């Protein structure tokens, strides 16, 4: 189990005197000579020759030495404010049963993890990674869901790795603003011949498929606002799944269905959403199970946990192509703590 814990120089002046200055000097010398002749008036041997001045030697002006341009600074990582930005990758990760949870890889290293409901009241993870901070392996990878499409739309055309999907959903995935990475278009990218459990090497995925630089899903990072309520532990439930957090003094330890999962989460967002019947029904379990749909657009209430405290906020995302805003009751933006973010999506 992975635990992650110039100033420009002044123009040079000519060293020689100006034309007017030279004239004044010449007149002064002539005047002095005439005065001397008057004093010595008994002499008639010849006139006094005019004074001569040396021509000024011009000094060439010097061009300022250009200062080197400062290196361009890369933008900070908009996903969790750690390091610099890189291309983005999303992965759908299985979360059903203790045996699956025991083999999770890569969740601790994700920038953002969404915990979402699937059929039968169970849960799965949708994890988003920045290309500059990737784990060695991610998984086990499972199938995509209808919820994933609008949820990921706010990130732009990132790569989405998943192991398959119900047949009715495939056309929607093909039309979505996603680079689909599946065993169908790249079987070699998945371990175990893409048979469950299967894992992916994210470096390999981002090396083979186009992606876009990570884009903010609306998160703002900064110092904690005033107020908030002390909250050290909390657990949230779906019909057949649960997830909990405990503040360890610096970050949050995460448990899934009562089992220790990973550590190092800096901010926990509890986003209250509508979970409604989806467009598709799954018959793989031998009985019909509706693939529920989590509505990530619209608005509603949420809680944000950071630094061992909790704040009640309002979330809003009217445009599926834009990020989600989180505002405090006074209308100011709720700042997240720098580090990985867990988003718990519950009714």
């Amino acid at each position: 189990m992975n635990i992650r814990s110039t100033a420009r120089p002044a123009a040079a002046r000519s060293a020689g005197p100006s034309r007017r200055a030279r004239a004044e000097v010449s007149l002064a010398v002539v005047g002095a000579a005439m005065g001397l002749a008057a004093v010595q008036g008994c002499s008639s041997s010849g006139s006094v020759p005019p004074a001569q001045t040396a021509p000024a030697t011009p000094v060439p002006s010097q061009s300022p030495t250009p200062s080197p341009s400062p290196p361009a600074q890369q933008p900070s990582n908009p996903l969790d404010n750690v390091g610099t930005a890189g291309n983005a990758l999303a992965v759908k990760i299985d979360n059903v049963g203790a045996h699956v949870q025991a083999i999770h890889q890569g969740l601790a290293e994700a920038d953002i993890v969404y915990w979402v409901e699937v059929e039968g009241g169970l849960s799965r993870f949708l994890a988003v990674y920045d290309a500059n901070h990737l784990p060695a392996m991610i998984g086990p990878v499972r199938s995509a869901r209808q919820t994933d499409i609008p949820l990921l739309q706010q990130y732009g055309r990132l790569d989405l790795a998943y192991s398959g999907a119900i047949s009715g959903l495939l056309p929607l995935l093909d039309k979505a603003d996603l680079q689909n990475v599946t065993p169908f278009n790249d079987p070699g990218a998945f371990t175990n011949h893409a048979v469950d459990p299967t894992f992916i090497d994210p470096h390999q995925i981002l090396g083979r498929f186009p992606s876009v630089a990570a884009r903010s899903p609306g998160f703002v990072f900064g110092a904690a606002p005033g107020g908030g309520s002390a909250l050290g532990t909390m657990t949230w439930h779906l019909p057949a799944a649960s997830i909990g957090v405990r503040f360890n003094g610096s970050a949050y330890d995460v448990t899934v269905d009562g089992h220790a999962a990973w550590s190092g989460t800096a901010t926990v967002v509890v986003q209250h959403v509508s979970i409604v019947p989806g467009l598709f029904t799954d018959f793989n379990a031998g009985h019909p199970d509706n693939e529920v749909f989590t509505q990530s657009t619209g608005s509603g209430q949420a809680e944000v946990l950071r630094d061992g405290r909790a704040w009640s906020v309002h979330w809003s995302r009217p445009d599926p192509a834009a990020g989600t805003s989180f505002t405090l009751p006074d209308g100011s933006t709720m700042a997240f703590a720098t580090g990985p973010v867990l988003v718990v999506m519950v009714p």
Side-chain angles (χ1 to χ4, degrees), residues 119-121 166 280-292:
E119 63 279 357
I166 196 167
F280 310 103
T281 299
D282 189 349
F283 293 90
N284 289 333
H287 56 84
D289 265 333
N290 179 257
E291 292 192 347
V292 298

Side-chain angles (χ1 to χ4, degrees), residues 50-241:
Q52 299 293 322
T53 59
T57 302
V59 177
S61 61
Q62 297 178 353
S63 299
T65 302
S67 300
S69 300
Q73 292 188 350
Q74 290 184 280
S76 59
N77 183 352
L79 302 181
D80 64 3
N81 203 37
V82 176
T84 55
N87 287 9
L89 166 68
V91 185
K92 196 60 180 283
I93 301 175
D94 196 5
N95 191 43
V96 178
H99 64 291
V100 168
Q101 294 159 5
I103 61 174
H104 276 150
Q105 293 191 53
L107 283 169
E109 293 82 8
D111 298 80
I112 303 170
V113 176
Y114 293 94
W115 186 67
V116 294
E117 183 176 345
V118 293
E119 63 279 357
L122 298 166
S123 69
R124 282 189 181 165
F125 292 116
L126 181 60
V128 182
Y129 298 83
D130 167 62
N132 289 335
H133 313 92
L134 295 173
M137 297 292 284
I138 301 173
V141 182
R142 287 303 300 268
S143 54
R145 292 291 184 271
Q146 182 188 352
T147 295
D148 304 335
I149 298 175
L151 186 55
L152 292 176
Q153 190 174 346
Q154 60 194 315
Y155 290 94
R157 190 176 175 80
L158 48 58
D159 296 337
L160 171 61
Y162 57 95
S163 63
I166 196 167
S167 59
L169 181 60
L170 293 176
L172 297 182
L173 287 165
D174 288 339
K175 293 177 182 178
D177 190 21
L178 295 166
Q179 173 61 53
N180 295 277
V181 183
T182 71
F184 177 79
N185 60 17
D186 192 356
F190 294 76
T191 68
N192 199 27
H193 303 286
V195 176
D196 184 51
T198 188
F199 299 81
I200 62 162
D201 174 352
H203 302 82
Q204 185 182 109
I205 298 296
L206 286 168
R208 293 185 183 182
F209 294 90
S211 182
V212 296
R215 193 168 77 182
S216 173
F219 302 166
V220 174
F221 299 89
S229 303
L231 183 63
T233 62
M234 190 67 185
T235 300
W236 300 271
H237 297 269
L238 295 174

